[in-house]
Amino acid sequence: MSNSNSPILPPATIGIIGGGQLGQMMALAAKAMGYKVGVLDPTEDAPAAQVADFQIIAAYDDVSALKQLAIKSNVLTYEFENVDQNALRQVENLTQVPQGVNLLTITSHRLREKTFCQEHGLPVTPFASVKNMSELKTAIEKIGQPGLLKTVEGGYDGHGQFDINQDTDWSIIESEIEQTEWIYELRQSFVRELSIMVTRDGNDQVIAFPVSENQHQHHILHTSIIPARISQQVANKARQIAHQTAEALNLKGVLGIELFELAGGDLMINELAPRPHNSGHYSIEACNISQFDAHIRSICGLSIPPINQFEPAVMVNLLGKNLLTARRDWVHHPEWHLHDYGKAEVRQARKMGHITVTGKDVDALLKSVSQFS
Protein backbone atom coordinates (compact mmCIF):
# COMPACT_ATOMS: atom_id res chain seq x y z
CA MET A 1 0.00 0.00 0.00
CA SER A 2 2.97 2.32 0.50
CA ASN A 3 3.48 2.46 -3.26
CA SER A 4 0.06 3.90 -4.13
CA ASN A 5 0.15 6.86 -6.50
CA SER A 6 -3.34 8.13 -5.69
CA PRO A 7 -3.40 11.44 -3.78
CA ILE A 8 -4.60 11.22 -0.19
CA LEU A 9 -7.20 13.92 0.23
CA PRO A 10 -9.00 15.41 3.24
CA PRO A 11 -10.67 14.32 5.44
CA ALA A 12 -8.26 11.35 5.44
CA THR A 13 -6.36 10.58 8.63
CA ILE A 14 -2.61 11.16 8.96
CA GLY A 15 -0.87 9.12 11.64
CA ILE A 16 2.25 10.68 13.19
CA ILE A 17 4.80 8.57 15.05
CA GLY A 18 6.14 10.89 17.72
CA GLY A 19 4.38 13.59 19.67
CA GLY A 20 6.97 16.33 20.04
CA GLN A 21 7.03 19.83 18.61
CA LEU A 22 7.75 18.74 15.05
CA GLY A 23 4.75 16.45 15.21
CA GLN A 24 2.72 19.30 16.66
CA MET A 25 3.55 21.61 13.77
CA MET A 26 2.89 18.81 11.26
CA ALA A 27 -0.50 18.27 12.88
CA LEU A 28 -1.37 21.96 12.81
CA ALA A 29 -0.53 22.12 9.10
CA ALA A 30 -2.57 18.99 8.39
CA LYS A 31 -5.57 20.18 10.39
CA ALA A 32 -5.63 23.48 8.50
CA MET A 33 -5.91 21.47 5.29
CA GLY A 34 -8.83 19.44 6.62
CA TYR A 35 -7.08 16.21 7.55
CA LYS A 36 -7.67 14.20 10.71
CA VAL A 37 -4.56 13.50 12.79
CA GLY A 38 -3.59 10.68 15.13
CA VAL A 39 -0.42 10.56 17.24
CA LEU A 40 1.56 7.72 18.80
CA ASP A 41 3.63 8.83 21.78
CA PRO A 42 4.32 7.37 25.25
CA THR A 43 3.71 10.70 26.99
CA GLU A 44 0.08 11.58 27.66
CA ASP A 45 -0.92 14.96 26.22
CA ALA A 46 2.36 15.30 24.31
CA PRO A 47 2.70 18.52 22.27
CA ALA A 48 1.40 16.94 19.05
CA ALA A 49 -1.42 15.18 20.89
CA GLN A 50 -2.68 18.54 22.17
CA VAL A 51 -3.70 19.52 18.63
CA ALA A 52 -4.52 16.05 17.22
CA ASP A 53 -7.83 14.20 16.94
CA PHE A 54 -6.59 11.25 18.96
CA GLN A 55 -3.51 9.88 20.70
CA ILE A 56 -2.35 6.31 21.22
CA ILE A 57 -0.26 6.27 24.39
CA ALA A 58 2.43 3.65 23.89
CA ALA A 59 6.13 3.19 23.27
CA TYR A 60 7.40 3.80 19.75
CA ASP A 61 8.44 0.16 19.39
CA ASP A 62 5.05 -1.20 20.54
CA VAL A 63 4.05 -3.12 17.41
CA SER A 64 0.47 -3.60 18.57
CA ALA A 65 0.04 0.13 19.15
CA LEU A 66 1.70 0.96 15.85
CA LYS A 67 -0.66 -1.42 14.05
CA GLN A 68 -3.57 0.28 15.78
CA LEU A 69 -2.36 3.67 14.49
CA ALA A 70 -1.79 2.26 11.00
CA ILE A 71 -5.27 0.77 10.80
CA LYS A 72 -6.84 4.08 11.86
CA SER A 73 -4.70 6.12 9.42
CA ASN A 74 -4.66 6.54 5.65
CA VAL A 75 -0.98 7.48 5.73
CA LEU A 76 1.83 7.26 8.31
CA THR A 77 4.71 9.64 8.87
CA TYR A 78 7.26 10.26 11.62
CA GLU A 79 8.75 13.29 13.35
CA PHE A 80 12.18 11.87 14.24
CA GLU A 81 14.68 9.41 12.80
CA ASN A 82 14.92 6.93 15.69
CA VAL A 83 11.66 5.18 14.82
CA ASP A 84 11.76 1.41 15.37
CA GLN A 85 12.33 0.25 11.81
CA ASN A 86 11.33 -3.38 12.39
CA ALA A 87 8.03 -2.25 13.89
CA LEU A 88 7.41 0.09 10.96
CA ARG A 89 8.06 -2.70 8.45
CA GLN A 90 5.34 -4.75 10.11
CA VAL A 91 2.66 -2.14 9.33
CA GLU A 92 3.66 -1.17 5.78
CA ASN A 93 0.97 -3.52 4.44
CA LEU A 94 -1.73 -1.89 6.60
CA THR A 95 -1.51 1.68 5.33
CA GLN A 96 0.56 3.98 3.13
CA VAL A 97 4.08 4.83 4.34
CA PRO A 98 5.33 7.12 1.56
CA GLN A 99 8.69 7.87 3.18
CA GLY A 100 9.35 4.16 3.54
CA VAL A 101 11.78 2.48 5.91
CA ASN A 102 14.89 2.84 3.75
CA LEU A 103 15.09 6.58 4.44
CA LEU A 104 15.24 5.82 8.17
CA THR A 105 17.74 3.00 7.66
CA ILE A 106 20.12 5.44 6.01
CA THR A 107 19.65 8.57 8.10
CA SER A 108 19.44 6.95 11.55
CA HIS A 109 22.91 5.42 11.17
CA ARG A 110 25.78 7.86 10.67
CA LEU A 111 28.05 5.37 8.91
CA ARG A 112 25.35 4.31 6.45
CA GLU A 113 24.47 7.97 5.89
CA LYS A 114 28.03 9.01 5.09
CA THR A 115 28.51 5.93 2.90
CA PHE A 116 25.29 6.70 1.01
CA CYS A 117 26.45 10.26 0.36
CA GLN A 118 29.88 9.12 -0.76
CA GLU A 119 28.42 6.53 -3.14
CA HIS A 120 26.14 9.15 -4.73
CA GLY A 121 28.85 11.76 -5.23
CA LEU A 122 27.61 13.99 -2.40
CA PRO A 123 30.36 15.84 -0.50
CA VAL A 124 31.19 14.54 2.99
CA THR A 125 34.24 14.68 5.24
CA PRO A 126 36.65 11.69 5.27
CA PHE A 127 35.34 9.02 7.65
CA ALA A 128 35.93 5.49 8.91
CA SER A 129 34.09 2.81 10.87
CA VAL A 130 35.47 2.23 14.38
CA LYS A 131 34.69 -0.59 16.85
CA ASN A 132 37.74 -0.62 19.13
CA MET A 133 40.84 1.36 20.07
CA SER A 134 42.96 -0.36 17.42
CA GLU A 135 40.55 0.67 14.66
CA LEU A 136 40.38 4.20 16.08
CA LYS A 137 44.18 4.45 15.97
CA THR A 138 44.18 3.24 12.37
CA ALA A 139 41.44 5.71 11.43
CA ILE A 140 43.32 8.62 12.97
CA GLU A 141 46.53 7.63 11.15
CA LYS A 142 44.68 7.34 7.84
CA ILE A 143 42.36 10.35 8.06
CA GLY A 144 44.23 12.66 10.40
CA GLN A 145 43.12 14.82 13.28
CA PRO A 146 41.53 16.79 14.88
CA GLY A 147 38.45 14.69 14.44
CA LEU A 148 35.17 13.60 15.96
CA LEU A 149 34.29 10.16 17.26
CA LYS A 150 30.53 9.65 17.17
CA THR A 151 28.19 6.77 17.92
CA VAL A 152 26.68 5.54 14.65
CA GLU A 153 23.19 5.56 16.16
CA GLY A 154 21.45 7.77 18.69
CA GLY A 155 22.97 10.85 20.21
CA TYR A 156 21.93 14.39 19.34
CA ASP A 157 22.74 17.98 20.27
CA GLY A 158 26.35 17.00 20.97
CA HIS A 159 25.64 13.84 22.96
CA GLY A 160 27.36 10.58 22.01
CA GLN A 161 30.54 12.11 20.60
CA PHE A 162 34.13 12.89 21.56
CA ASP A 163 36.56 15.46 20.24
CA ILE A 164 39.79 13.79 19.12
CA ASN A 165 42.82 16.06 19.50
CA GLN A 166 45.95 16.45 21.57
CA ASP A 167 43.92 17.04 24.74
CA THR A 168 41.66 14.00 24.42
CA ASP A 169 41.05 11.97 27.60
CA TRP A 170 41.67 8.52 26.14
CA SER A 171 40.68 6.70 29.36
CA ILE A 172 37.03 7.69 28.94
CA ILE A 173 36.99 6.57 25.33
CA GLU A 174 38.68 3.26 26.22
CA SER A 175 35.96 2.57 28.78
CA GLU A 176 33.15 3.15 26.26
CA ILE A 177 34.43 2.32 22.80
CA GLU A 178 33.60 -1.39 22.74
CA GLN A 179 30.05 -0.84 23.99
CA THR A 180 28.78 0.22 20.55
CA GLU A 181 29.82 1.05 16.98
CA TRP A 182 31.38 4.41 16.12
CA ILE A 183 32.30 6.57 13.16
CA TYR A 184 35.44 8.68 13.09
CA GLU A 185 35.24 11.86 11.03
CA LEU A 186 37.87 14.44 10.17
CA ARG A 187 36.87 17.74 11.75
CA GLN A 188 36.41 20.45 9.13
CA SER A 189 37.28 24.12 9.52
CA PHE A 190 34.31 26.00 8.14
CA VAL A 191 33.12 29.54 7.63
CA ARG A 192 29.55 28.92 8.70
CA GLU A 193 26.92 26.24 9.19
CA LEU A 194 24.04 26.12 6.74
CA SER A 195 20.97 24.02 6.10
CA ILE A 196 18.39 23.58 3.40
CA MET A 197 15.00 21.87 3.45
CA VAL A 198 14.00 19.87 0.40
CA THR A 199 11.12 17.64 -0.66
CA ARG A 200 9.46 16.18 -3.77
CA ASP A 201 5.80 16.72 -4.48
CA GLY A 202 3.14 14.36 -5.83
CA ASN A 203 4.53 14.83 -9.33
CA ASP A 204 8.07 13.99 -8.12
CA GLN A 205 9.19 17.57 -8.68
CA VAL A 206 12.00 18.62 -6.32
CA ILE A 207 11.08 21.62 -4.18
CA ALA A 208 13.79 23.38 -2.14
CA PHE A 209 13.51 26.09 0.50
CA PRO A 210 15.89 29.05 0.94
CA VAL A 211 19.25 28.32 2.57
CA SER A 212 19.43 28.96 6.30
CA GLU A 213 22.51 30.24 8.14
CA ASN A 214 22.69 28.56 11.54
CA GLN A 215 24.43 29.50 14.76
CA HIS A 216 24.85 26.92 17.52
CA GLN A 217 25.53 27.12 21.23
CA HIS A 218 26.75 24.02 23.08
CA HIS A 219 26.02 21.89 19.97
CA ILE A 220 22.35 23.00 19.97
CA LEU A 221 20.88 25.20 17.25
CA HIS A 222 20.35 28.66 18.69
CA THR A 223 19.66 31.10 15.83
CA SER A 224 18.83 30.77 12.13
CA ILE A 225 19.10 33.63 9.62
CA ILE A 226 17.20 33.26 6.38
CA PRO A 227 18.21 33.72 3.67
CA ALA A 228 21.77 32.87 4.66
CA ARG A 229 24.34 35.62 4.20
CA ILE A 230 26.15 33.77 1.42
CA SER A 231 26.98 34.34 -2.22
CA GLN A 232 24.56 33.29 -4.93
CA GLN A 233 27.14 30.75 -6.06
CA VAL A 234 27.15 29.05 -2.67
CA ALA A 235 23.34 29.15 -2.53
CA ASN A 236 23.21 27.48 -5.95
CA LYS A 237 25.58 24.76 -4.73
CA ALA A 238 23.31 24.11 -1.75
CA ARG A 239 20.27 23.82 -4.00
CA GLN A 240 22.14 21.44 -6.30
CA ILE A 241 23.12 19.24 -3.36
CA ALA A 242 19.50 19.29 -2.16
CA HIS A 243 18.20 18.31 -5.59
CA GLN A 244 20.75 15.53 -6.00
CA THR A 245 20.06 14.16 -2.51
CA ALA A 246 16.27 14.20 -2.97
CA GLU A 247 16.53 12.31 -6.26
CA ALA A 248 19.01 9.76 -4.87
CA LEU A 249 16.68 9.01 -1.95
CA ASN A 250 13.51 8.94 -4.08
CA LEU A 251 12.38 11.33 -1.38
CA LYS A 252 8.91 11.78 0.03
CA GLY A 253 8.35 14.17 2.91
CA VAL A 254 10.71 16.95 3.92
CA LEU A 255 14.43 16.30 4.39
CA GLY A 256 16.72 18.64 6.29
CA ILE A 257 20.29 18.81 5.01
CA GLU A 258 22.90 20.30 7.36
CA LEU A 259 25.92 21.74 5.54
CA PHE A 260 29.31 23.27 6.27
CA GLU A 261 30.50 26.13 4.07
CA LEU A 262 34.27 25.79 3.71
CA ALA A 263 36.70 28.68 3.25
CA GLY A 264 36.85 28.33 -0.53
CA GLY A 265 33.08 28.33 -0.96
CA ASP A 266 32.70 24.56 -1.24
CA LEU A 267 29.95 22.82 0.73
CA MET A 268 30.06 19.60 2.73
CA ILE A 269 27.13 17.62 4.11
CA ASN A 270 27.21 17.26 7.88
CA GLU A 271 23.96 15.38 8.51
CA LEU A 272 20.64 14.44 6.92
CA ALA A 273 17.38 14.67 8.88
CA PRO A 274 14.44 12.69 7.38
CA ARG A 275 11.83 15.18 8.59
CA PRO A 276 11.20 18.90 8.96
CA HIS A 277 14.16 20.57 10.62
CA ASN A 278 14.51 23.06 13.45
CA SER A 279 16.17 25.58 11.13
CA GLY A 280 13.14 25.51 8.82
CA HIS A 281 10.63 26.80 11.38
CA TYR A 282 10.92 30.32 9.96
CA SER A 283 8.95 29.15 6.90
CA ILE A 284 5.68 29.20 8.87
CA GLU A 285 5.65 32.99 8.86
CA ALA A 286 8.13 33.89 6.13
CA CYS A 287 7.11 31.71 3.16
CA ASN A 288 4.07 31.01 1.03
CA ILE A 289 4.37 27.33 2.00
CA SER A 290 5.87 26.22 5.32
CA GLN A 291 8.10 23.18 5.62
CA PHE A 292 5.23 21.48 7.47
CA ASP A 293 2.72 22.29 4.72
CA ALA A 294 5.24 20.89 2.23
CA HIS A 295 5.73 17.74 4.30
CA ILE A 296 2.02 17.01 4.48
CA ARG A 297 1.51 17.76 0.79
CA SER A 298 4.42 15.53 -0.17
CA ILE A 299 3.39 12.47 1.83
CA CYS A 300 -0.18 12.87 0.59
CA GLY A 301 0.90 13.05 -3.06
CA LEU A 302 -0.17 16.66 -3.66
CA SER A 303 1.52 19.33 -5.75
CA ILE A 304 3.68 22.04 -4.16
CA PRO A 305 4.30 25.47 -5.70
CA PRO A 306 7.78 27.02 -5.87
CA ILE A 307 8.78 28.37 -2.47
CA ASN A 308 8.66 32.14 -2.11
CA GLN A 309 10.12 33.85 0.95
CA PHE A 310 8.32 37.14 1.51
CA GLU A 311 11.09 38.87 3.49
CA PRO A 312 14.16 38.00 5.58
CA ALA A 313 13.62 36.12 8.83
CA VAL A 314 15.43 35.23 12.03
CA MET A 315 14.43 32.28 14.21
CA VAL A 316 15.72 31.74 17.74
CA ASN A 317 15.22 28.61 19.82
CA LEU A 318 13.84 29.01 23.33
CA LEU A 319 15.67 26.57 25.59
CA GLY A 320 14.65 25.86 29.16
CA LYS A 321 13.68 28.95 31.14
CA ASN A 322 14.09 31.20 28.11
CA LEU A 323 10.51 30.27 27.32
CA LEU A 324 9.39 31.84 30.60
CA THR A 325 11.31 34.99 29.73
CA ALA A 326 9.72 35.08 26.29
CA ARG A 327 6.21 34.70 27.71
CA ARG A 328 6.85 37.56 30.12
CA ASP A 329 8.41 39.91 27.55
CA TRP A 330 6.13 39.09 24.62
CA VAL A 331 3.85 41.99 25.51
CA HIS A 332 6.72 44.38 24.68
CA HIS A 333 7.52 42.71 21.34
CA PRO A 334 4.54 42.67 18.98
CA GLU A 335 6.97 41.73 16.17
CA TRP A 336 7.62 38.31 17.76
CA HIS A 337 5.89 35.23 16.39
CA LEU A 338 6.07 33.16 19.57
CA HIS A 339 5.64 29.38 19.35
CA ASP A 340 5.15 27.69 22.73
CA TYR A 341 5.28 23.91 22.33
CA GLY A 342 3.21 23.23 25.44
CA LYS A 343 5.67 20.86 27.09
CA ALA A 344 4.70 19.94 30.62
CA GLU A 345 8.13 20.42 32.20
CA VAL A 346 10.69 23.18 31.68
CA ARG A 347 14.17 21.65 31.57
CA GLN A 348 17.57 23.19 30.98
CA ALA A 349 18.71 22.89 27.34
CA ARG A 350 15.30 21.46 26.35
CA LYS A 351 13.65 23.02 23.30
CA MET A 352 10.54 24.63 24.75
CA GLY A 353 9.55 26.91 21.89
CA HIS A 354 10.88 29.33 19.32
CA ILE A 355 10.45 32.90 18.12
CA THR A 356 10.48 34.03 14.50
CA VAL A 357 10.77 37.66 13.44
CA THR A 358 10.54 38.94 9.87
CA GLY A 359 11.49 42.25 8.26
CA LYS A 360 13.81 43.98 5.83
CA ASP A 361 16.75 44.63 8.18
CA VAL A 362 18.48 41.46 9.45
CA ASP A 363 20.50 43.39 12.04
CA ALA A 364 17.26 44.77 13.49
CA LEU A 365 15.77 41.27 13.56
CA LEU A 366 18.79 39.92 15.43
CA LYS A 367 18.56 42.80 17.90
CA SER A 368 14.89 42.02 18.51
CA VAL A 369 15.80 38.59 19.94
CA SER A 370 19.26 39.46 21.30
CA GLN A 371 18.19 38.96 24.92
CA PHE A 372 18.25 35.21 24.27
CA SER A 373 21.90 35.20 23.10
Side-chain angles (χ1 to χ4, degrees), residues 224-341:
S224 292
I225 302 165
I226 312 94
R229 295 170 294 186
I230 54 177
S231 69
Q232 188 59 52
Q233 184 180 19
V234 172
N236 291 341
K237 288 180 182 179
R239 293 180 68 85
Q240 177 57 41
I241 288 172
H243 193 284
Q244 188 176 344
T245 305
E247 294 286 21
L249 287 168
N250 195 28
L251 182 65
K252 290 297 179 184
V254 165
L255 178 82
I257 305 176
E258 297 179 12
L259 300 159
F260 294 141
E261 180 191 357
L262 307 185
D266 288 333
L267 294 178
M268 188 165 285
I269 293 176
N270 179 34
E271 287 186 350
L272 304 178
R275 40 138 179 100
H277 191 268
N278 199 174
S279 64
H281 291 346
Y282 75 92
S283 58
I284 297 174
E285 284 82 26
C287 296
N288 58 324
I289 296 289
S290 78
Q291 64 168 343
F292 301 101
D293 296 329
H295 184 82
I296 297 301
R297 288 190 184 207
S298 177
I299 64 171
C300 290
L302 303 174
S303 59
I304 302 173
I307 304 302
N308 175 32
Q309 183 177 353
F310 304 129
E311 56 185 0
V314 167
M315 187 282 301
V316 62
N317 267 329
L318 297 174
L319 304 180
K321 293 183 179 179
N322 276 346
L323 174 66
L324 306 182
T325 301
R327 287 173 178 170
R328 183 194 65 215
D329 294 349
W330 191 15
V331 65
H332 304 299
H333 290 274
E335 75 278 13
W336 287 359
H337 296 278
L338 173 62
H339 293 254
D340 185 332
Y341 302 149

Side-chain angles (χ1 to χ4, degrees), residues 9 14 40 43 60-61 69 83 96 109 119 131 152 171 196 204 216 232 253 267 271 275 281 285 315 363 365 373:
L9 301 174
I14 298 173
L40 171 66
T43 303
Y60 303 124
D61 60 354
L69 179 66
V83 174
Q96 294 191 43
H109 190 279
E119 290 175 346
K131 296 178 182 176
V152 294
S171 62
I196 185 169
D204 292 335
H216 291 73
Q232 188 59 52
L267 294 178
E271 287 186 350
R275 40 138 179 100
H281 291 346
E285 284 82 26
M315 187 282 301
D363 289 336
L365 300 180
S373 299

Side-chain angles (χ1 to χ4, degrees), residues 59-74:
Y60 303 124
D61 60 354
D62 186 325
V63 176
S64 176
L66 193 55
K67 286 183 177 178
Q68 183 183 349
L69 179 66
I71 290 169
K72 297 181 70 172
S73 302
N74 300 93

Side-chain angles (χ1 to χ4, degrees), residues 185-197:
E185 302 174 359
L186 181 67
R187 180 186 283 277
Q188 294 290 333
S189 297
F190 54 88
V191 176
R192 57 178 63 85
E193 296 182 61
L194 306 171
S195 62
I196 185 169
M197 309 303 111

